[in-house]
Amino acid sequence: MQLYNLGLLVASFVASVGAVSTFTPARPPAVPLAVKSPYLSTWLDAGSDGGNGGYLAGEWPTFWENQITGWCGLIRVDGVAYTWMGLPGSTTVDQVSLEYTSTKSIFTMNVAGAVEMNITFMSPITPNDLKRQSLVFSYLNVEVSSLDGNDHDVQVYADISAEWVSGDRTTIAEWEYGTTDDVAYHKVYRQTQLAFSEVDQQGEWGYWYWATDVSDSMTYQAGEDTVVRGQFSSNGTLENTINTDYRAISDDWPVFAFSSNLGSVSSSPVSTLFSIGLTQDEAVQFEGASAYGPVQSLWKAYFDTELDALSFFHTDFATSSSLSSEFDAKVTSDSSALGGENYVTMTSLSARQAFGATQLCGTEDKMYLFLKEISSDGNVNTVDVIFPAYPFFLYSNPEFLKLVMAPLYENQEAGKYPNDWAMHDMGSSYPNATGHNDGNDEKMPLEECGNMLIMTLAYAQLANDVDYLTQHYNLLTQWTGYLVNDSLYPANQISTDDFAGSLANQTNLALKGMIGIQAMSVIANKTGNTADAANYSTIAHDYIAKWQDLAINKNASPPHTTLSYGNWSSHGLLYNLFADAQLGTGLVPQSVYQMQSDFYPTVMNTYGVPLDTRHTYTKFDWQSFAAAISSTSTRSSFFQHISTWVNATTTNKALTDLYDTLTGDYPSTTFFARPVVGGSFAPLLVTN
Ligand SMILES: *[C@@H]1O[C@H](CO)[C@@H](O)[C@H](O)[C@H]1NC(C)=O
Ligand SMILES: *[C@@H]1O[C@H](CO)[C@@H](O)[C@H](O)[C@H]1NC(C)=O
Ligand SMILES: *[C@@H]1O[C@H](CO)[C@@H](O)[C@H](O)[C@H]1NC(C)=O
Ligand SMILES: *[C@@H]1O[C@H](CO)[C@@H](O)[C@H](O)[C@H]1NC(C)=O
Ligand SMILES: *[C@@H]1O[C@H](CO)[C@@H](O)[C@H](O)[C@H]1NC(C)=O
Ligand SMILES: *[C@@H]1O[C@H](CO)[C@@H](O)[C@H](O)[C@H]1NC(C)=O
Ligand SMILES: *[C@@H]1O[C@H](CO)[C@@H](O)[C@H](O)[C@H]1NC(C)=O
Ligand SMILES: *[C@@H]1O[C@H](CO)[C@@H](O)[C@H](O)[C@H]1NC(C)=O
Ligand SMILES: *[C@@H]1O[C@H](CO)[C@@H](O)[C@H](O)[C@H]1NC(C)=O
């Protein structure tokens, strides 16, 4: 942020490294701090490629794309100021531990041996409570207690900079201070709103709120960073003044601060709660059944005003916290039972990231879940990005899977997509769900037809919703026609792994098509279309018999499927097989499952099994799919290698899904913070 900080970087870094923190269940590449939507996405870099190892004090938190979102925490103990978050310059506290769960990142700090701090960043996940889930807000709770048996005089401080409101640091920010229902807030925003626009991936519209409790011990201030932080450090209180010289984000860096005077602190913990969030009345534009236009954020369906939403959120901490803890406990116990701590490392790090790519929109009667293909290209509701994440949606609440497919069905059923296969995405650039009236979307026909059929049946089965299948029967039939044409001998095309290039006769892609046809047979059966059910089942079984001859290298030791038909020297992760198990379609013989499960350990590298024989890189999500349908020992081996990678990679970006199995490094400048990590929940959806 400021030049003068650079000189202090070394000193602060050394101070941090001096105290060694533990990391439970592992040290993530980046720690989620406030991660709730494509625009509320602030992390702490950990991996050594740019991060400091995962220490909250000593570096600035960043937006997922890596630009700083200034967030500063100070504490004053007996008149001496220390930094607990960010890099403002003062001596840092000693970090003792970081623990993360699905919804929380909890840091424990030791301040000069005198007091302990528990600092909890919680981005709530409430899958069965869409009112709460619709709020694009996150909590920061700071608890302090005495460590040494003496009482200490303590004040806690936290601020945000205007870097949260725009990706352009020269843009003019504006701000105001107010209170509502005993909640004090700074409201910060781009002076010139640019609706539905992004700069460096940050949203350029809407209003940011940074809030705490109104109380006698609370003071506030908005002004230049060094001035405001200096005031707190030297005095312990702020001046209750707002500098209204609205200016560029980087012009004397305006910050928005609160201080809480905790007074004399004993061994009983005392806490201060902060909330941070974004309100946008309208979050996306959408080409649905009616004309292209804005869609309201879902929170608008529950709250009349932004302040109502803010006040509800901030005063809801106890309930929200207990709902989030319920979700945490479920993920932890389910994951632990299946795969121990290694698997807990994977799922609990993925949950906020998966939801963090989504935005709930619409009304209580007509909801949508919009999803941004973060970092890879910003497409909206990309079908083959939803597919790897579908286990997470199914696990948390199958309704989400329906809501994320809703825009795709609505657009295509309104006749707005000219091709006879399934559309790849809802638009090239989030938040503009323009559709593709010209049919010129990224062409991934077999992939997306298979994905839509599989996910549609997956939702309907778990939600027991046959009407949904009837409603979409015509389009599903059309897509099945495409699969019948193309899945036995797939034309030269790309699959979801488009970065690996295009190829004809892809074994794994063909399998997806065949499972899709069998899924349609089940759909036809459930909807009373007996003849169709029989026809599709016959075709799928005929294809899968042929596929076994075309795709399996029976002479290899051990035998395995190939990457593409007839290429006997090739192999790859047969991750689409997961859908056959998850849906219970029973199309593929158990011998194929067993064969692959026996094969994977023979090609396991330091950090996992390569995606295929073309490269040494692999995918976090697809390995999770493969693990889901492997024997207990192969599954454990996957979990162990993947979690070792999570803990060891030097990457400092939010959990990447594409990484090298030999170096643990990261072969791309994209593929991080993506919702596809929700695929880590796949093993929880099948019962072997
Ligand atoms: C993570 O790596 C650190 C440092 O190498 C090691 O001490 C720790 O045991 C590892 N944790 C896990 C869960 O692998
Ligand atoms: C921090 O959390 C631990 C574990 O829950 C607890 O024992 C301790 O009292 C807490 N300390 C503070 C300052 O809240
Ligand atoms: C979305 O469309 C609006 C025009 O309606 C445009 O101003 C904006 O830049 C677009 N957003 C993106 C991310 O392309
Ligand atoms: C802090 O500032 C206030 C207002 O200027 C002053 O009254 C108070 O004495 C100062 N406190 C300390 C500890 O410097
Ligand atoms: C079976 O389905 C295929 C593909 O949709 C179609 O071409 C064929 O006519 C169907 N056969 C029967 C008997 O319905
Ligand atoms: C399948 O192939 C037939 C024959 O080439 C063609 O008429 C039909 O349109 C194709 N169906 C789809 C959905 O692509
Ligand atoms: C696909 O495989 C079949 C069977 O091996 C072969 O006849 C066909 O030529 C292959 N297609 C392409 C495009 O290579
Ligand atoms: C669906 O499948 C069941 C079990 O195979 C069968 O008994 C039933 O007749 C089928 N229903 C339809 C409508 O095809
Ligand atoms: C067979 O697979 C290998 C490894 O993936 C690849 O390098 C080679 O080009 C493939 N050969 C053919 C004929 O496709």
Side-chain angles (χ1 to χ4, degrees), residues 596-623:
Q596 290 301 107
S597 176
D598 292 343
F599 171 66
Y600 293 135
T602 68
V603 286
M604 186 75 76
N605 286 338
T606 312
Y607 298 116
V609 174
L611 177 62
D612 60 53
T613 34
R614 289 171 290 183
H615 306 92
T616 55
Y617 58 56
T618 192
K619 296 285 274 80
F620 176 88
D621 44 352
W622 299 143
Q623 289 185 98

Side-chain angles (χ1 to χ4, degrees), residues 4 54 73 75 136 203 222 224 228 230 353 367 370 384 426 435 459 496 511 537 560 602 624 662 668:
Y4 90 100
I75 184 168
V136 181
E224 183 178 353
V228 177
Q353 182 166 324
M367 287 182 196
F370 285 96
D384 61 287
M426 262 316 302
Y459 157 73
T496 182
L511 179 61
S537 182
H560 56 79
T602 68
S624 301
L662 294 173
S668 169

Side-chain angles (χ1 to χ4, degrees), residues 74-94:
L74 305 173
I75 184 168
R76 222 163 157 267
V77 178
D78 302 325
V80 181
Y82 304 85
T83 299
W84 53 266
M85 171 164 61
L87 185 55
S90 54
T91 309
T92 56
V93 301
D94 287 340

Side-chain angles (χ1 to χ4, degrees), residues 273-390:
L273 178 68
F274 305 92
S275 296
I276 176 101
L278 171 63
T279 59
Q280 293 171 325
D281 284 2
E282 291 163 338
V284 304
Q285 305 191 87
F286 172 47
E287 177 84 39
S290 48
Y292 183 63
V295 188
Q296 78 170 10
S297 300
L298 185 62
W299 66 266
K300 290 282 290 174
Y302 303 108
F303 301 97
D304 289 337
T305 67
E306 293 166 12
L307 290 182
D308 289 347
L310 169 69
S311 165
F312 174 85
F313 181 83
H314 188 74
T315 56
D316 189 45
F317 181 65
T319 308
S320 183
S321 196
S322 93
L323 291 172
S324 291
S325 296
E326 269 172 36
F327 186 75
D328 287 343
K330 178 169 148 64
V331 173
T332 302
S333 75
D334 290 352
S335 307
S336 179
L338 189 75
E341 180 120 319
N342 289 331
Y343 187 40
V344 175
T345 295
M346 296 165 59
T347 49
S348 55
L349 188 56
S350 302
R352 275 171 289 181
Q353 182 166 324
F355 265 135
T358 69
Q359 168 72 45
L360 281 162
C361 287
T363 62
E364 283 187 83
D365 294 335
K366 198 174 189 195
M367 287 182 196
Y368 307 96
L369 186 66
F370 285 96
L371 176 143
K372 179 173 177 178
E373 185 182 340
I374 288 183
S375 82
S376 33
D377 63 10
N379 284 182
V380 190
N381 290 50
T382 313
V383 175
D384 61 287
V385 168
I386 299 170
F387 181 76
Y390 101 86

Side-chain angles (χ1 to χ4, degrees), residues 488-492 503-505 550 565-566:
L488 183 55
Y489 299 109
N492 190 343
L503 195 63
N505 283 332
L550 292 162
Y565 296 167

